[in-house]
Amino acid sequence: MPTAPVIIRLHDRDNVAIVGNDRGLPAGTGWPGGPTLREHVPQGHKVALVDLAEGDAVRRYDVTIGYALKAIPAGSWVHERLLRMPEARSLDGLPIATRRPEPLPPLDGYTFEGYRNDDGSVGTRNLLGITTTVQCVAGVVAHAVQRIRAELLPRYPNVDDVVALEHSYGCGVAIDAPDAAIPIRTLRNISLNPNFGGEVMVVSLGCEKLQPERLLPPGTIPIADSLEVADVGANEDAALDVVCLQDDHHVGFGSMIDSILASATAHLERLNARRRETVPASELVVGVQCGGSDAFSGVTANPVVGFATDLLVRAGATVMFSEVTEVRDGIDQLTARAASPEVAQAMIREMAWYDAYLKRGAVDRSANTTPGNRRGGLSNIVEKAMGSIVKSGSAPISGVLSPGEKLNGRRGLIYAATPASDFICGTLQLAAGMNLHVFTTGRGTPYGLAACPVLKVATRSDLARRWHDLMDLNAGRIADGDATIEALGWELFRLLLDVAGGRKTWAEQHRLHNALVLFNPAPVT
């Protein structure tokens, strides 16, 4: 029996809709009040609801996502080759803190089992992090991590894992260039992520440009309120624990490994003494991100995350949304939601910086979309951005972070300016202080982070069925008509509390994680 057509139109003024059926719909398909399809339209792709003349605006989300390059009859498949992308919204004349929504009532009484840290932050995991100052030591540290897991961790059952903070930075770079501050503070702040419990150990080569004292100057351990200014007086007894492989006392590879294991043992002893305790939901720092996006991202998964974002903010938690190129075309929506003119101007400043960064590389925001995005029905970055912004919910935006910066007490809904690259965005959100991560996907990705649990939300039921042991929540039930955004938003909120309290995500169960990728806009020498 033929499947009934599922046509999803998001706004009354939209002149296109997307096909929701798993395998798309064939030519000749019709539905009440709509045109007859003139050709096969794949799942997630757009169909013209009315005749469009050359130059007409094509609207989805009640936003112009492009202009017809030629006449497009009603019932036609509307894809990227038929659209001219609009120019980027000017950063001048934007609405500044003009939207004043009624404050949502507080959401009290929700808790999770977390690890309190001396600096006041809370971890969702109890991990030993081993910071590296340069890529050269990565192989040695990887070997040491294997030994720690096999020989030491069984003696410390309250420690979840050991994580090597491997990266590609540290030498062969213009270490004094102005933009070098970004990767350095990123790695510094990741080393102090709440999930590492304030235990910092470093493995250095010895000759690299990024010396340990430059990465973690006096005053940063234990964690200080500001990582940009060293406060030696307050922390003068906190010595930096460094294993330097070029030290004269190391004779052979085995000596290096023994030193790393000896250092790790002291940290593991302290971490193992920690216990989970009941803490309010306000201690959550949740990063939200999307990757492998499709046309359903802005229909199912991202609206669910947006609903949960509002719940988290109501509960006093902090939520970060990011990805500059994936919000750039909705900058007017964001500046209008800013809690103050200063927050709006900070967002504009970050957009302008990134516009200039892309211009130096002779590209613009249109370089964002991937072949998978387009196969999933997203014609261009404007359409993608409209679906991406939905993750931020409806709360006022209370603060802005530059790449690599730490929250330092800022709460509420925060815009953390990052590239849209999944790995770089996740790395920068970790640096900000993220202790829990939500990642939506339509095409599918096994993305994960070793330093933080990642909960993945599928946009489509077909993906959730096929990747049943990789997706933690199926938002495709909304398109199927089996669930509402509100119901799944609450389900996600409760699932986040469970994961924060120790429940493992699929990525954790499979030990899936991506490498840290530092954002380095400075020159490589």
Side-chain angles (χ1 to χ4, degrees):
M1 181 177 179
T3 303
V6 177
I7 305 297
I8 302 172
R9 185 185 190 187
L10 296 176
H11 196 279
D12 290 343
R13 288 195 287 268
D14 289 355
N15 53 22
V16 294
I18 66 169
V19 170
N21 303 78
D22 277 353
R23 294 174 177 81
L25 291 173
T29 301
W31 63 94
T36 299
L37 294 187
R38 300 170 63 89
E39 56 196 310
H40 174 264
V41 179
Q43 183 188 35
H45 284 252
K46 295 176 289 296
V47 57
L49 300 176
V50 297
D51 290 333
L52 297 168
E54 181 179 347
D56 278 357
V58 175
R59 297 185 68 81
R60 186 176 178 228
Y61 297 102
D62 193 27
V63 169
T64 297
I65 63 170
Y67 298 93
L69 290 172
K70 64 178 184 179
I72 304 174
S76 298
W77 175 16
V78 180
H79 47 75
E80 68 274 8
R81 296 182 299 280
L82 297 178
L83 299 181
R84 174 175 60 83
M85 193 172 76
E87 296 295 320
R89 174 72 157 86
S90 170
L91 295 177
D92 295 323
L94 292 168
I96 303 295
T98 54
R99 193 181 302 174
R100 300 290 182 183
E102 287 294 320
L104 295 171
L107 198 59
D108 298 322
Y110 288 92
T111 62
F112 68 98
E113 300 300 306
Y115 295 96
R116 285 200 177 275
N117 297 319
D118 291 341
D119 71 320
S121 66
V122 172
T124 61
R125 296 295 183 266
N126 190 27
L127 302 166
L128 172 61
I130 301 179
T131 298
T132 61
T133 56
V134 67
Q135 173 66 19
C136 308
V137 305
V140 174
V141 173
H143 185 92
V145 166
Q146 289 180 344
R147 292 271 306 272
I148 292 169
R149 285 183 178 144
E151 301 170 24
L152 299 184
L153 279 186
R155 292 158 36 193
Y156 303 104
N158 295 320
V159 180
D160 293 317
D161 203 357
V162 56
V163 175
L165 303 183
E166 179 194 344
H167 56 89
S168 59
Y169 194 70
C171 209
V173 294
I175 199 77
D176 294 315
D179 288 340
I182 292 174
I184 294 172
R185 73 186 177 207
T186 300
L187 184 57
R188 176 187 305 159
N189 289 339
I190 290 175
S191 303
L192 303 172
N193 184 276
N195 288 345
F196 298 137
E199 296 294 328
V200 180
M201 64 173 288
V202 180
V203 177
S204 162
L205 182 59
C207 60
E208 63 270 28
K209 289 184 177 180
L210 183 57
Q211 290 290 300
E213 295 76 15
R214 181 164 188 166
L215 174 63
L216 291 156
T220 60
I221 304 171
I223 305 171
D225 289 337
S226 172
L227 297 177
E228 303 305 321
V229 179
D231 180 6
V232 178
N235 300 285
E236 58 187 356
D237 296 329
L240 186 59
D241 181 11
V242 180
V243 175
C244 179
L245 301 188
Q246 290 178 349
D247 279 356
D248 291 343
H249 68 263
H250 285 137
V251 179
F253 176 69
S255 173
M256 300 174 188
I257 299 298
D258 289 344
S259 290
I260 295 172
L261 265 61
S263 178
T265 299
H267 294 283
L268 289 169
E269 290 278 359
R270 290 189 289 270
L271 288 170
N272 195 58
R274 290 154 54 83
R275 298 291 185 273
R276 289 188 182 272
E277 58 184 279
T278 302
V279 296
S282 58
E283 300 295 349
L284 287 176
V285 179
V286 181
V288 299
Q289 190 187 165
C290 50
S293 301
D294 66 359
F296 286 92
S297 295
V299 177
T300 60
N302 288 350
V304 166
V305 172
F307 190 94
T309 291
D310 285 346
L311 295 177
L312 288 162
V313 172
R314 287 173 58 192
T318 301
V319 180
M320 291 180 288
F321 72 107
S322 299
E323 302 169 284
V324 172
T325 53
E326 295 191 13
V327 303
R328 176 65 176 80
D329 282 282
I331 184 59
D332 53 331
Q333 301 175 37
L334 302 183
T335 56
R337 285 171 58 194
S340 68
E342 291 76 18
V343 170
Q345 290 300 331
M347 278 189 281
I348 293 169
R349 182 182 67 243
E350 294 298 337
M351 297 296 126
W353 185 93
Y354 212 86
D355 283 354
Y357 167 72
L358 291 175
K359 188 176 181 180
R360 291 201 302 271
V363 297
D364 62 19
R365 74 204 197 285
S366 67
N368 174 290
T369 47
T370 69
N373 294 154
R374 293 187 287 274
R375 283 196 295 271
L378 294 173
S379 294
N380 56 38
I381 187 56
V382 182
E383 183 178 8
K384 187 178 181 183
M386 293 306 109
S388 178
I389 286 174
V390 181
K391 299 193 302 295
S392 67
S394 62
I397 301 166
S398 59
V400 177
L401 297 178
S402 295
E405 285 188 337
K406 196 172 186 290
L407 282 164
N408 283 334
R410 281 168 278 200
R411 288 182 173 268
L413 181 63
I414 304 293
Y415 177 65
T418 76
S421 160
D422 299 345
F423 330 115
I424 299 177
C425 178
T427 298
L428 290 168
Q429 288 185 339
L430 282 173
M434 172 175 70
N435 58 19
L436 192 58
H437 201 27
V438 180
F439 192 101
T440 69
T441 184
R443 304 300 292 172
T445 172
Y447 171 92
L449 293 171
C452 176
V454 178
L455 193 153
K456 291 208 283 298
V457 183
T459 71
R460 299 178 295 120
S461 292
D462 179 60
L463 174 64
R465 284 191 295 267
R466 290 186 294 108
W467 288 33
H468 59 91
D469 53 0
L470 288 166
M471 298 292 115
D472 299 287
L473 184 71
N474 175 22
R477 288 178 282 166
I478 294 166
D480 299 339
D482 297 331
T484 64
I485 291 171
E486 179 179 358
L488 288 188
W490 274 104
E491 184 175 335
L492 175 59
F493 175 73
R494 293 187 176 97
L495 183 55
L496 285 168
L497 293 174
D498 287 346
V499 170
R503 174 175 172 173
K504 288 190 175 182
T505 65
W506 279 117
E508 288 182 291
Q509 292 181 51
H510 298 311
R511 298 184 74 97
L512 298 177
H513 65 268
N514 295 90
L516 296 176
V517 182
L518 301 181
F519 180 37
N520 178 28
V524 176
T525 53

